Amino acid sequence: MIVRNLQSAEKTARRVVSEGWESTRLLLSNDNMGFSFHITTIYAGADLLMHYQNHLESVYCISGEGEVEDLATGEIHPISPGVIYILDQHDRHRLRARTPMQMACVFNPPLHGKEVHDGSGAYPLTAEIISD
């Protein structure tokens, strides 16, 4: 059994900060679950272009407001608490936060821990592994 506390994990290397967001990675590849689980905060005013070419992702909004744009279709979907969006086709998308948004994110394959977006908006398949 694995038990972790978000507030404790935020004080470790599991907390990754990048431009426009920060993420605490509670479950990673070395936990051998087949997916990773993160609590991510998107900062107010952030406008993030992302394209997870190597991963599938599901994102559930816990708090805050913004929108996600499907760059293939131009469709814009409002994001607020209780909304989930699923990037099941490696979708190119833009996430905009009107207020700080706290999101629960699941990645498959799982992240190793230290990933940040590259120039294309993707996470690499390999990165520094965080170990407890």
Side-chain angles (χ1 to χ4, degrees):
M1 178 182 294
I2 300 168
V3 178
R4 294 196 173 103
N5 175 280
L6 176 61
Q7 289 73 30
S8 297
E10 288 172 336
K11 298 174 184 148
T12 71
R14 289 181 174 274
R15 180 174 175 252
V16 175
V17 178
S18 190
E19 188 174 334
W21 60 271
E22 64 182 71
S23 180
T24 302
R25 280 92 191 259
L26 293 170
L27 190 66
L28 292 165
S29 62
N30 60 356
D31 292 312
N32 298 311
M33 291 293 296
F35 61 93
S36 59
F37 180 82
H38 322 161
I39 300 297
T40 299
T41 299
I42 309 298
Y43 303 144
D47 186 342
L48 306 172
L49 177 63
M50 294 178 270
H51 185 194
Y52 295 119
Q53 300 166 58
N54 303 312
H55 299 86
L56 299 174
E57 182 191 26
S58 296
V59 182
Y60 177 81
C61 182
I62 298 167
S63 64
E65 293 185 353
E67 62 187 24
V68 64
E69 180 179 358
D70 181 335
L71 295 177
T73 66
E75 290 180 273
I76 296 175
H77 305 276
I79 303 295
S80 60
V83 171
I84 188 170
Y85 65 91
I86 298 107
L87 304 166
D88 63 336
Q89 301 296 316
H90 304 282
D91 312 86
R92 280 187 73 238
H93 63 289
R94 183 178 298 273
L95 183 62
R96 297 178 189 97
R98 283 191 287 282
T99 67
M101 295 193 304
Q102 188 176 49
M103 316 291 259
C105 307
V106 176
F107 280 88
N108 181 14
L111 299 190
H112 296 286
K114 289 299 209 176
E115 291 88 344
V116 294
H117 300 103
D118 65 17
S120 72
Y123 284 149
L125 275 175
T126 59
E128 180 182 346
I129 295 175
I130 294 175
S131 60
D132 293 325

